[in-house]
Amino acid sequence: MVSKAIPDIVVGRLPLYLRALSFLAAEGRQVTSSQELGQKLGISAAQIRKDLSHFGEFGKQGTGYDIKYLSEQLRRILKVTEEHEVALVGAGDLGHALVHYDGFAGKGFRISVVFDNNPQKIGRRLGTFEILDSESIETIIADRGIEVAIVAVPPNAAQEVVDALVRAGVKAILNYAPITVKVPEGVQVQYIDPVIHLQRMAYYL
Amino acid sequence: MVSKAIPDIVVGRLPLYLRALSFLAAEGRQVTSSQELGQKLGISAAQIRKDLSHFGEFGKQGTGYDIKYLSEQLRRILKVTEEHEVALVGAGDLGHALVHYDGFAGKGFRISVVFDNNPQKIGRRLGTFEILDSESIETIIADRGIEVAIVAVPPNAAQEVVDALVRAGVKAILNYAPITVKVPEGVQVQYIDPVIHLQRMAYYL
DNA sequence: GGGCTTTTGTGAAATTATAAACATACTATA
DNA sequence: TATAGTATGTTTATAATTTCACAAAAGCCC
């Protein structure tokens, strides 16, 4: 394997591999194979081997992959060995669900601050967090060096929030608002919109 | 254009086009171009034209696309002109957020029944819905002919819920549980897992 | 230890997807 | 009515991705 630019589509599959490995580990399994992983994920075994080969040699011929070892390697590659602090903007129903979501634990992320622009909500608690004024996004996020944020605000507020996050130095944004936002070079955005997924499936109904 | 099997990746972009068109329409715009749409979505104009060409000719040379007309056509293609009834399984925080989410309106989907397996919750209300026993998924969904469902239950319950949905005749499942589930041929599953998106972005931090 | 089985890592081949290029058609304007 | 300017739909070219195929390495069993 030679170090080259890794295709983004490959990077996008690594978290799926890691997730599948976590489940196998939880079942007490020690070793797996590209074939088994592929079966579980609906991906060809060859593709999994090829994807991993971009980063090194993690398996043993005739045996497969040590689950614990490969998980560690993937976590290292994805830079999720330590937990990233995440800023959440939007303390509505979705923000509430995200704050209480236990799926972030051990996966490399931890919500550590919550913002909202509603004066009714500012100063109140959401879970263990005090809801902070969105006006303070820039200073607080910059001060704390947070570089990951989740946007869970209505669509008409999303671009404005994203702009503030970018100014604060955030480099990765997970946007639940159903609009495509503009960000400068060097800032990543990923989108979660249930309607997009549902409409895509509706085509095949 | 000749009718052939449409690449899934093309189908996956249609909802994005439709979403962008909705925004333009909301701004009072009448006409747009592949170039403008591409700019807004971060997709090349050629790709948009090519994607649309799989389904017909919707534009006018020298002018572009009539926003209302193209939206109608995309809705027809995606089969979201009428609203699909959606069954929601899981009345936790996420289910709560989904029931109150106003982003489904006018997009082709409407949550119309809610299930949970927690005896504490069954019979109570979630928004305007009475929470029904998950045990009744099969009969109720089959009776009402629902073919779209959203799974918002903990990972350890997800496969079981999916199995029940499949038996009930559901053909499209949006799964918020962070596990890859097994479904028979002919049943679609799409996944929403914030951790996957965050980990993918973390690679580039 | 030798033969058999398994499974990796990886080039080469096949497939699929994206981008570029362009002929054609339409609008607007003078 | 002629001309210039746009923007489509489609063809062609380029690039990216996936699959295939196989040598090599490791384990297992007698």
Side-chain angles (χ1 to χ4, degrees):
Chain A
M1 160 269 179
V2 179
S3 213
K4 279 284 211 72
I6 311 292
D8 181 59
I9 196 161
V10 172
V11 174
R13 280 190 293 261
L14 299 184
L16 298 174
Y17 302 160
L18 182 54
R19 189 172 77 181
L21 289 169
S22 299
F23 271 88
L24 288 169
E27 290 170 4
R29 296 278 307 282
Q30 307 287 325
V31 173
T32 186
S33 65
S34 58
Q35 190 164 26
E36 183 181 37
L37 277 176
Q39 183 126 58
K40 287 197 179 295
L41 292 168
I43 289 175
S44 82
Q47 179 156 87
I48 291 175
R49 294 201 302 277
K50 185 121 206 151
D51 284 353
L52 295 177
S53 79
H54 284 98
F55 303 95
E57 306 191 358
F58 306 114
K60 211 185 259 183
Q61 287 170 337
T63 306
Y65 300 93
D66 181 87
I67 290 171
K68 189 149 163 266
Y69 176 70
L70 182 55
S71 297
E72 278 168 11
Q73 294 305 308
L74 286 175
R75 273 193 279 267
R76 176 182 57 74
I77 292 163
L78 289 169
K79 306 207 187 76
V80 295
T81 48
E82 309 289 321
E83 289 198 327
H84 297 266
E85 285 191 65
V86 177
L88 169 65
V89 187
D93 289 321
L94 179 56
H96 182 91
L98 285 166
V99 160
H100 291 93
Y101 184 55
D102 63 2
F104 293 123
K107 304 296 182 190
F109 303 93
R110 182 183 70 247
I111 291 176
S112 68
V113 57
V114 178
F115 297 94
D116 201 292
N117 69 349
N118 181 341
Q120 303 287 306
K121 290 180 179 165
I122 295 166
R124 304 187 74 138
R125 304 208 76 76
L126 178 60
T128 61
F129 301 100
E130 180 188 346
I131 298 169
L132 305 180
D133 188 342
S134 293
E135 292 294 321
S136 58
I137 283 176
E138 279 188 61
T139 53
I140 291 176
I141 290 183
D143 283 358
R144 298 174 60 165
I146 294 174
E147 45 184 11
V148 180
I150 298 178
V151 174
V153 303
N156 57 27
Q159 181 65 59
E160 186 185 348
V161 164
V162 166
D163 291 344
L165 291 169
V166 167
R167 285 194 299 270
V170 165
K171 296 300 179 202
I173 297 171
L174 181 57
N175 181 22
Y176 279 84
I179 68 163
T180 304
V181 294
K182 283 198 255 306
V183 292
E185 188 82 6
V187 177
Q188 307 174 72
V189 184
Q190 293 261 311
Y191 296 89
I192 289 184
D193 179 354
V195 168
I196 296 291
H197 292 281
L198 291 171
Q199 289 186 336
R200 177 182 193 151
M201 291 193 286
Y203 174 81
Y204 298 100
L205 288 178
Chain B
M1 160 267 181
V2 179
S3 213
K4 278 287 211 71
I6 311 291
D8 182 58
I9 195 163
V10 171
V11 174
R13 280 190 293 260
L14 299 183
L16 298 174
Y17 301 160
L18 182 53
R19 190 173 75 182
L21 289 168
S22 300
F23 270 88
L24 288 170
E27 289 170 5
R29 296 280 306 282
Q30 307 287 324
V31 172
T32 186
S33 65
S34 59
Q35 191 164 26
E36 184 181 37
L37 277 177
Q39 183 127 59
K40 286 196 180 296
L41 292 167
I43 290 176
S44 81
Q47 179 154 86
I48 292 176
R49 294 201 301 278
K50 181 127 235 240
D51 285 353
L52 296 177
S53 78
H54 284 99
F55 303 96
E57 306 191 358
F58 306 112
K60 211 186 258 182
Q61 286 171 336
T63 305
Y65 299 93
D66 181 87
I67 290 171
K68 189 150 165 265
Y69 176 71
L70 182 56
S71 297
E72 279 167 9
Q73 294 304 308
L74 286 175
R75 272 193 280 267
R76 176 182 56 75
I77 292 163
L78 289 169
K79 305 207 187 76
V80 294
T81 48
E82 309 288 320
E83 289 199 327
H84 297 267
E85 286 191 65
V86 177
L88 169 65
V89 187
D93 289 321
L94 180 55
H96 182 91
L98 285 165
V99 160
H100 291 94
Y101 184 53
D102 63 2
F104 293 123
K107 304 296 182 191
F109 303 93
R110 183 183 68 247
I111 291 175
S112 68
V113 57
V114 178
F115 298 94
D116 201 291
N117 70 348
N118 181 341
Q120 304 286 307
K121 290 181 181 165
I122 295 166
R124 305 188 73 140
R125 304 208 76 77
L126 179 59
T128 61
F129 302 100
E130 180 187 345
I131 298 169
L132 306 180
D133 189 343
S134 293
E135 292 294 320
S136 58
I137 283 177
E138 279 186 62
T139 53
I140 291 177
I141 289 183
D143 283 357
R144 300 175 57 165
I146 294 175
E147 48 185 8
V148 180
I150 298 178
V151 174
V153 304
N156 58 28
Q159 182 65 58
E160 188 185 345
V161 164
V162 165
D163 291 344
L165 291 170
V166 167
R167 284 194 300 271
V170 165
K171 295 301 179 203
I173 297 171
L174 180 58
N175 181 22
Y176 279 84
I179 69 164
T180 304
V181 294
K182 282 197 256 303
V183 292
E185 188 83 5
V187 177
Q188 308 174 73
V189 184
Q190 292 262 311
Y191 297 88
I192 289 183
D193 180 354
V195 168
I196 297 292
H197 292 281
L198 290 172
Q199 288 186 336
R200 178 182 192 152
M201 291 193 286
Y203 174 81
Y204 298 100
L205 289 178

